[in-house]
Amino acid sequence: LKDHKDEPHDWWGRFSKFPLELPKFHLSRRGEDTMAVWWSMSRACNFNCPYCCQTSKTNNNINNEEAIKVSKHLHKLFKESGFKKIKLSILGGEPALFDLPTILHNMKDEAYDFEVSILTNFSLKDADWWNSIDVTSTIIASFHVSQLKDVDGWIEKAKKMKHRFRAKFVITDDNFELTKQMEAKCRENGLTVE
């Protein structure tokens, strides 16, 4: 990546100066004025899916206090970068295990446009909590048929979202037919499905 003056920047070097051991990050440049950042916050999750690649409950896990510190450091990096737009993708594990409204608020700044997409299983927190996130966001809810007990409640919560919302289905051999039924039900209720 290069900054707005076309002088090389050591972005990974800046990440290595974080005050604590970090979860996974990936940075890329999108055009002349956009930085894209993918933050895998933790591998911790409230589900224990046998098909998930994020099966470890202990590796690379940080607590909420550490995640807030990281968000403040990211804010500083974003502000100093000179990019006009920051696109942050947050994934995990389950990001809703953290105080996302505070973490994302810490990264807002008038110096750049800030957009966030959050990949979540959407089973934790109510719609008011999700709607308290005060940055432009897209919630991508991975629908786990085998894990959810209250499907109607999940759909009703999704319909209350003020943020862009997309349902994404986790399909396995065991749930293919049920997943097709749930996808149709989501579409009937006006939800975007991918």
PDB file of all heavy atoms in Angstrom, residues 155-169:
ATOM      1  N   ILE A 155     -36.131 -14.363  12.341  1.00  0.00           N
ATOM      2  CA  ILE A 155     -36.641 -13.609  11.191  1.00  0.00           C
ATOM      3  C   ILE A 155     -37.245 -12.279  11.646  1.00  0.00           C
ATOM      4  O   ILE A 155     -37.004 -11.236  11.037  1.00  0.00           O
ATOM      5  CB  ILE A 155     -37.652 -14.455  10.390  1.00  0.00           C
ATOM      6  CG1 ILE A 155     -36.892 -15.579   9.659  1.00  0.00           C
ATOM      7  CG2 ILE A 155     -38.440 -13.592   9.409  1.00  0.00           C
ATOM      8  CD1 ILE A 155     -37.778 -16.584   8.976  1.00  0.00           C
ATOM      9  N   GLU A 156     -38.010 -12.292  12.741  1.00  0.00           N
ATOM     10  CA  GLU A 156     -38.602 -11.043  13.244  1.00  0.00           C
ATOM     11  C   GLU A 156     -37.521 -10.056  13.669  1.00  0.00           C
ATOM     12  O   GLU A 156     -37.642  -8.852  13.413  1.00  0.00           O
ATOM     13  CB  GLU A 156     -39.569 -11.326  14.401  1.00  0.00           C
ATOM     14  CG  GLU A 156     -40.869 -11.965  13.946  1.00  0.00           C
ATOM     15  CD  GLU A 156     -41.578 -11.158  12.869  1.00  0.00           C
ATOM     16  OE1 GLU A 156     -41.762  -9.936  13.047  1.00  0.00           O
ATOM     17  OE2 GLU A 156     -41.956 -11.742  11.833  1.00  0.00           O
ATOM     18  N   LYS A 157     -36.470 -10.535  14.300  1.00  0.00           N
ATOM     19  CA  LYS A 157     -35.359  -9.657  14.688  1.00  0.00           C
ATOM     20  C   LYS A 157     -34.702  -9.067  13.443  1.00  0.00           C
ATOM     21  O   LYS A 157     -34.403  -7.874  13.393  1.00  0.00           O
ATOM     22  CB  LYS A 157     -34.338 -10.438  15.531  1.00  0.00           C
ATOM     23  CG  LYS A 157     -33.155  -9.595  15.970  1.00  0.00           C
ATOM     24  CD  LYS A 157     -32.270 -10.272  17.012  1.00  0.00           C
ATOM     25  CE  LYS A 157     -31.552 -11.469  16.552  1.00  0.00           C
ATOM     26  NZ  LYS A 157     -30.516 -11.935  17.485  1.00  0.00           N
ATOM     27  N   ALA A 158     -34.508  -9.888  12.427  1.00  0.00           N
ATOM     28  CA  ALA A 158     -33.888  -9.417  11.180  1.00  0.00           C
ATOM     29  C   ALA A 158     -34.735  -8.321  10.527  1.00  0.00           C
ATOM     30  O   ALA A 158     -34.199  -7.348   9.998  1.00  0.00           O
ATOM     31  CB  ALA A 158     -33.691 -10.582  10.214  1.00  0.00           C
ATOM     32  N   LYS A 159     -36.043  -8.454  10.585  1.00  0.00           N
ATOM     33  CA  LYS A 159     -36.930  -7.464   9.971  1.00  0.00           C
ATOM     34  C   LYS A 159     -36.875  -6.118  10.689  1.00  0.00           C
ATOM     35  O   LYS A 159     -37.213  -5.092  10.110  1.00  0.00           O
ATOM     36  CB  LYS A 159     -38.361  -8.001   9.953  1.00  0.00           C
ATOM     37  CG  LYS A 159     -38.551  -9.109   8.916  1.00  0.00           C
ATOM     38  CD  LYS A 159     -39.832  -9.885   9.036  1.00  0.00           C
ATOM     39  CE  LYS A 159     -41.080  -9.097   9.090  1.00  0.00           C
ATOM     40  NZ  LYS A 159     -42.298  -9.921   9.124  1.00  0.00           N
ATOM     41  N   LYS A 160     -36.422  -6.079  11.937  1.00  0.00           N
ATOM     42  CA  LYS A 160     -36.336  -4.844  12.712  1.00  0.00           C
ATOM     43  C   LYS A 160     -35.014  -4.095  12.508  1.00  0.00           C
ATOM     44  O   LYS A 160     -34.830  -3.008  13.058  1.00  0.00           O
ATOM     45  CB  LYS A 160     -36.484  -5.149  14.203  1.00  0.00           C
ATOM     46  CG  LYS A 160     -37.848  -5.653  14.591  1.00  0.00           C
ATOM     47  CD  LYS A 160     -37.884  -6.001  16.062  1.00  0.00           C
ATOM     48  CE  LYS A 160     -39.226  -6.599  16.437  1.00  0.00           C
ATOM     49  NZ  LYS A 160     -39.233  -7.048  17.848  1.00  0.00           N
ATOM     50  N   MET A 161     -34.114  -4.660  11.722  1.00  0.00           N
ATOM     51  CA  MET A 161     -32.793  -4.064  11.583  1.00  0.00           C
ATOM     52  C   MET A 161     -32.860  -2.763  10.789  1.00  0.00           C
ATOM     53  O   MET A 161     -33.502  -2.696   9.746  1.00  0.00           O
ATOM     54  CB  MET A 161     -31.840  -5.033  10.880  1.00  0.00           C
ATOM     55  CG  MET A 161     -31.565  -6.303  11.661  1.00  0.00           C
ATOM     56  SD  MET A 161     -30.860  -5.993  13.265  1.00  0.00           S
ATOM     57  CE  MET A 161     -29.336  -5.232  12.790  1.00  0.00           C
ATOM     58  N   LYS A 162     -32.165  -1.716  11.284  1.00  0.00           N
ATOM     59  CA  LYS A 162     -32.047  -0.467  10.525  1.00  0.00           C
ATOM     60  C   LYS A 162     -30.866  -0.534   9.556  1.00  0.00           C
ATOM     61  O   LYS A 162     -30.802   0.223   8.615  1.00  0.00           O
ATOM     62  CB  LYS A 162     -31.910   0.732  11.465  1.00  0.00           C
ATOM     63  CG  LYS A 162     -30.569   0.827  12.161  1.00  0.00           C
ATOM     64  CD  LYS A 162     -30.429   2.100  12.965  1.00  0.00           C
ATOM     65  CE  LYS A 162     -29.021   2.223  13.508  1.00  0.00           C
ATOM     66  NZ  LYS A 162     -28.803   3.437  14.256  1.00  0.00           N
ATOM     67  N   HIS A 163     -29.933  -1.416   9.814  1.00  0.00           N
ATOM     68  CA  HIS A 163     -28.775  -1.588   8.933  1.00  0.00           C
ATOM     69  C   HIS A 163     -29.152  -2.479   7.756  1.00  0.00           C
ATOM     70  O   HIS A 163     -30.139  -3.220   7.802  1.00  0.00           O
ATOM     71  CB  HIS A 163     -27.614  -2.252   9.695  1.00  0.00           C
ATOM     72  CG  HIS A 163     -27.138  -1.454  10.861  1.00  0.00           C
ATOM     73  ND1 HIS A 163     -26.460  -0.268  10.723  1.00  0.00           N
ATOM     74  CD2 HIS A 163     -27.257  -1.660  12.191  1.00  0.00           C
ATOM     75  CE1 HIS A 163     -26.167   0.213  11.904  1.00  0.00           C
ATOM     76  NE2 HIS A 163     -26.647  -0.608  12.822  1.00  0.00           N
ATOM     77  N   ARG A 164     -28.320  -2.428   6.692  1.00  0.00           N
ATOM     78  CA  ARG A 164     -28.505  -3.397   5.605  1.00  0.00           C
ATOM     79  C   ARG A 164     -28.360  -4.782   6.217  1.00  0.00           C
ATOM     80  O   ARG A 164     -27.527  -5.008   7.090  1.00  0.00           O
ATOM     81  CB  ARG A 164     -27.462  -3.181   4.517  1.00  0.00           C
ATOM     82  CG  ARG A 164     -27.686  -1.926   3.700  1.00  0.00           C
ATOM     83  CD  ARG A 164     -26.684  -1.796   2.566  1.00  0.00           C
ATOM     84  NE  ARG A 164     -25.316  -1.729   3.033  1.00  0.00           N
ATOM     85  CZ  ARG A 164     -24.641  -0.609   3.247  1.00  0.00           C
ATOM     86  NH1 ARG A 164     -25.203   0.557   3.047  1.00  0.00           N
ATOM     87  NH2 ARG A 164     -23.404  -0.636   3.676  1.00  0.00           N
ATOM     88  N   PHE A 165     -29.161  -5.696   5.751  1.00  0.00           N
ATOM     89  CA  PHE A 165     -29.173  -7.046   6.334  1.00  0.00           C
ATOM     90  C   PHE A 165     -29.219  -8.078   5.219  1.00  0.00           C
ATOM     91  O   PHE A 165     -29.992  -7.938   4.278  1.00  0.00           O
ATOM     92  CB  PHE A 165     -30.392  -7.217   7.247  1.00  0.00           C
ATOM     93  CG  PHE A 165     -30.422  -8.541   7.944  1.00  0.00           C
ATOM     94  CD1 PHE A 165     -29.793  -8.704   9.157  1.00  0.00           C
ATOM     95  CD2 PHE A 165     -31.059  -9.630   7.365  1.00  0.00           C
ATOM     96  CE1 PHE A 165     -29.802  -9.932   9.803  1.00  0.00           C
ATOM     97  CE2 PHE A 165     -31.073 -10.861   7.994  1.00  0.00           C
ATOM     98  CZ  PHE A 165     -30.446 -11.012   9.221  1.00  0.00           C
ATOM     99  N   ARG A 166     -28.356  -9.087   5.339  1.00  0.00           N
ATOM    100  CA  ARG A 166     -28.362 -10.197   4.384  1.00  0.00           C
ATOM    101  C   ARG A 166     -28.297 -11.506   5.162  1.00  0.00           C
ATOM    102  O   ARG A 166     -27.506 -11.628   6.100  1.00  0.00           O
ATOM    103  CB  ARG A 166     -27.160 -10.113   3.445  1.00  0.00           C
ATOM    104  CG  ARG A 166     -27.181  -8.902   2.561  1.00  0.00           C
ATOM    105  CD  ARG A 166     -26.154  -8.923   1.445  1.00  0.00           C
ATOM    106  NE  ARG A 166     -24.923  -9.600   1.733  1.00  0.00           N
ATOM    107  CZ  ARG A 166     -23.716  -9.042   1.657  1.00  0.00           C
ATOM    108  NH1 ARG A 166     -23.576  -7.776   1.320  1.00  0.00           N
ATOM    109  NH2 ARG A 166     -22.633  -9.729   1.894  1.00  0.00           N
ATOM    110  N   ALA A 167     -29.123 -12.441   4.770  1.00  0.00           N
ATOM    111  CA  ALA A 167     -29.071 -13.776   5.359  1.00  0.00           C
ATOM    112  C   ALA A 167     -28.180 -14.654   4.493  1.00  0.00           C
ATOM    113  O   ALA A 167     -28.276 -14.635   3.263  1.00  0.00           O
ATOM    114  CB  ALA A 167     -30.468 -14.376   5.449  1.00  0.00           C
ATOM    115  N   LYS A 168     -27.306 -15.381   5.133  1.00  0.00           N
ATOM    116  CA  LYS A 168     -26.399 -16.293   4.443  1.00  0.00           C
ATOM    117  C   LYS A 168     -26.598 -17.654   5.096  1.00  0.00           C
ATOM    118  O   LYS A 168     -26.607 -17.750   6.317  1.00  0.00           O
ATOM    119  CB  LYS A 168     -24.969 -15.791   4.637  1.00  0.00           C
ATOM    120  CG  LYS A 168     -23.934 -16.582   3.954  1.00  0.00           C
ATOM    121  CD  LYS A 168     -22.566 -15.940   4.206  1.00  0.00           C
ATOM    122  CE  LYS A 168     -21.608 -16.421   3.175  1.00  0.00           C
ATOM    123  NZ  LYS A 168     -20.764 -15.367   2.666  1.00  0.00           N
ATOM    124  N   PHE A 169     -26.772 -18.671   4.297  1.00  0.00           N
ATOM    125  CA  PHE A 169     -27.095 -19.979   4.849  1.00  0.00           C
ATOM    126  C   PHE A 169     -25.883 -20.894   4.889  1.00  0.00           C
ATOM    127  O   PHE A 169     -25.104 -20.949   3.939  1.00  0.00           O
ATOM    128  CB  PHE A 169     -28.220 -20.638   4.035  1.00  0.00           C
ATOM    129  CG  PHE A 169     -29.529 -19.974   4.266  1.00  0.00           C
ATOM    130  CD1 PHE A 169     -29.908 -18.874   3.524  1.00  0.00           C
ATOM    131  CD2 PHE A 169     -30.365 -20.418   5.266  1.00  0.00           C
ATOM    132  CE1 PHE A 169     -31.104 -18.233   3.753  1.00  0.00           C
ATOM    133  CE2 PHE A 169     -31.568 -19.785   5.513  1.00  0.00           C
ATOM    134  CZ  PHE A 169     -31.943 -18.684   4.752  1.00  0.00           C
TER     135      PHE A 169
END
